[in-house]
Amino acid sequence: MKTIDELLADGVSGKRVFVRADLNVPLDDGTITDDGRIRAVLPTVKALVDAGAKVVVASHLGRPKGAPDPAFSLLPAAERLGELLGAPVAFAEDTVGPAAHDAVDGLQPGQVAVIENLRFNPGETSKDDTERGEFADRLAALADVYVGDGFGAVHRKHASVFDLPARLPHYAGYLIATEVGVLKKLTDDVKRPYAVVLGGAKVSDKLGVIDHLLEKADRILIGGGMAYTFLKAQGHEVGISLLQEDQIPAVQEYMKRAEERGVEFVLPVDVLVSPDFPDLKTKAPANPTTVAANAIPADQEGLDIGPETRTLYASKLADAATVFWNGPMGVFEHPDYAEGTKAVAQALVASDGFTVVGGGDSAAAVRTLGFDEKAFGHISTGGGASLEYLEGKTLPGLAALED
């Protein structure tokens, strides 16, 4: 895989460089609530700007239905990118139409343009190779060189991620190079003890990574909504907690395999429960009750790990040489249910090991809860991509960057 350093060494002054970024930031009425993904692509964009390239930045945002939708416009992301660069950024109101060509044609060396949300064109996400290829052809007409730096999208076989690199000289940006290097430390060159913390809502989202990590990890800690399927699999009452009943046989099999392989599987010993899901807009006091994990009342819902579990999990992470964390421990968006996630984050901050926060909600939680990002070994920009890599899958966007 060629990297941007090789591209810069060859010279890019005056060349049109297409940067496939991941500007898929959360918006609240058009306001960006977390600009982490925009900041993550800055090193690549700045390096190209400084080298005199004409930089064309492209990304998706949200899940529009293959047609323009103002709610998913990249304009706020383009404006924020300009603020971070300290220079104006041109914005094209289409992807491959007249506005895109005008914006690119108007670039001077060292300037940047952002084209509109790629998913406004059905060819971006089409499962039909021909339709995707036609859209990739039109994107290729905007550039001379391709730089892949949208790690959060490399697990998607989309036109701008998979098909476009085949049509242009292609290189990996700084972000992708960093992400791949980190993931190799979690799979091929692991320092032990190796602890994995998995949370989030659905156990089905994590089964693949659990399956793969049973061959690599020394201990696996489970929290979040997915924990209740594990507790149910052990025969415990989970009340009205989030439960994927159809996944119980798979969970039981994984726990059995873990025991056979000597992998420590750690589940909550106490949880915070309430009969009502908290109001995340007003954040009104929820007044949860703490109960043992094997004694959840039938009319209560588990919404965070309890204080004993927080202490237990911190102790299991204290001596780890490598830690991978993906998924919050509870409904961290509400202050009454944020302590579990905060405790895991604090344990990683206190660790002397190599700590990786696996993107998605975990990365958002770290920033929302006020932690210094530099206190962690790495904060990934791609939760889904990280998980699929750890499952051992071939990621289309990475395969496309290989020569």
Side-chain angles (χ1 to χ4, degrees):
M1 184 185 294
K2 291 182 181 178
T3 68
I4 187 175
D5 282 333
E6 295 172 81
L7 171 61
L8 294 171
D10 291 339
V12 292
S13 181
K15 291 185 178 180
R16 301 171 301 164
V17 181
F18 188 104
V19 177
R20 201 331 181 162
D22 179 9
L23 308 181
N24 185 28
V25 292
L27 297 173
D28 184 3
D29 292 329
T31 300
I32 297 171
T33 58
D34 182 354
D35 68 356
R37 284 176 169 164
I38 301 175
R39 287 185 286 109
V41 78
L42 278 178
T44 290
V45 174
K46 283 182 174 178
L48 291 168
V49 165
D50 292 344
K54 299 176 180 180
V55 185
V56 184
V57 179
S59 177
H60 69 287
L61 192 150
R63 297 179 182 272
K65 305 297 183 181
D69 183 339
F72 297 106
S73 175
L74 273 177
L75 179 58
E79 292 174 340
R80 181 59 179 150
L81 178 61
E83 291 172 358
L84 292 168
L85 287 172
V89 168
F91 180 70
E93 295 181 349
D94 59 28
T95 54
V96 290
H101 281 274
D102 287 347
V104 174
D105 290 344
L107 290 175
Q108 296 298 311
Q111 293 184 337
V112 180
V114 174
I115 62 174
E116 185 55 285
N117 192 335
L118 293 165
R119 291 184 183 176
F120 285 0
N121 190 304
E124 170 69 0
T125 59
S126 176
K127 289 182 169 46
D128 181 84
D129 291 348
T130 300
E131 185 177 13
R132 266 199 341 272
E134 289 173 351
F135 183 50
D137 287 338
R138 297 181 70 187
L139 289 172
L142 297 171
D144 305 306
V145 182
Y146 177 93
V147 171
D149 215 30
F151 181 73
V154 294
H155 58 315
R156 306 296 187 192
K157 192 176 182 181
H158 291 170
S160 66
V161 175
F162 179 73
D163 302 272
L164 182 55
R167 288 157 168 80
L168 294 169
H170 47 270
Y171 302 82
Y174 290 125
L175 175 61
I176 279 187
T178 297
E179 294 273 13
V180 171
V182 166
L183 288 168
K184 285 182 177 178
K185 290 184 179 181
L186 299 177
T187 53
D188 302 332
D189 185 24
V190 181
K191 293 183 179 179
R192 301 186 179 281
Y194 180 15
V196 176
V197 187
L198 297 175
K202 295 181 179 180
V203 68
S204 55
D205 293 341
K206 304 294 196 308
L207 287 181
V209 75
I210 292 172
D211 182 38
H212 204 65
L213 288 176
L214 280 175
E215 308 297 321
K216 301 187 179 288
D218 296 302
R219 59 188 75 125
I220 299 176
L221 287 58
I222 302 293
M226 62 184 286
Y228 303 102
T229 300
F230 281 87
L231 292 171
K232 185 72 172 180
Q234 289 185 324
H236 302 311
E237 170 67 57
V238 296
I240 57 173
S241 304
L242 189 62
L243 174 65
Q244 288 187 284
E245 198 118 25
D246 61 323
Q247 301 297 330
I248 288 177
V251 164
Q252 290 172 328
E253 174 62 24
Y254 286 142
M255 288 193 289
K256 179 182 176 183
R257 278 178 53 199
E259 186 176 2
E260 292 171 350
R261 295 189 59 81
V263 177
E264 189 177 6
F265 231 101
V266 190
L267 297 179
V269 294
D270 62 341
V271 297
L272 270 61
V273 299
S274 171
D276 303 302
F277 195 84
D279 187 326
L280 299 183
K281 282 198 174 290
T282 66
K283 294 183 171 51
N287 301 316
T289 303
T290 301
V291 299
N294 61 0
I296 298 174
D299 63 345
Q300 303 278 311
E301 178 178 10
L303 296 165
D304 193 14
I305 58 174
E308 289 186 27
T309 305
R310 292 172 220 152
T311 301
L312 171 65
Y313 283 15
S315 72
K316 296 295 183 181
L317 299 173
D319 68 337
T322 305
V323 182
F324 173 70
W325 170 34
N326 181 282
M329 297 293 99
V331 187
F332 74 91
E333 299 90 343
H334 192 285
D336 287 352
Y337 301 104
E339 293 303 317
T341 301
K342 192 181 295 184
V344 168
Q346 186 58 54
L348 266 65
V349 169
S351 171
D352 292 327
F354 179 60
T355 58
V356 179
V357 181
D361 287 341
S362 307
V366 163
R367 290 188 275 266
T368 299
L369 298 174
F371 286 91
D372 182 355
E373 294 180 46
K374 295 178 181 177
F376 302 88
H378 179 69
I379 297 180
S380 178
T381 58
S386 295
L387 289 177
E388 291 199 17
Y389 188 101
L390 293 177
E391 287 177 37
K393 292 182 178 179
T394 297
L395 306 188
L398 296 185
L401 293 175
E402 298 285 355
D403 286 314

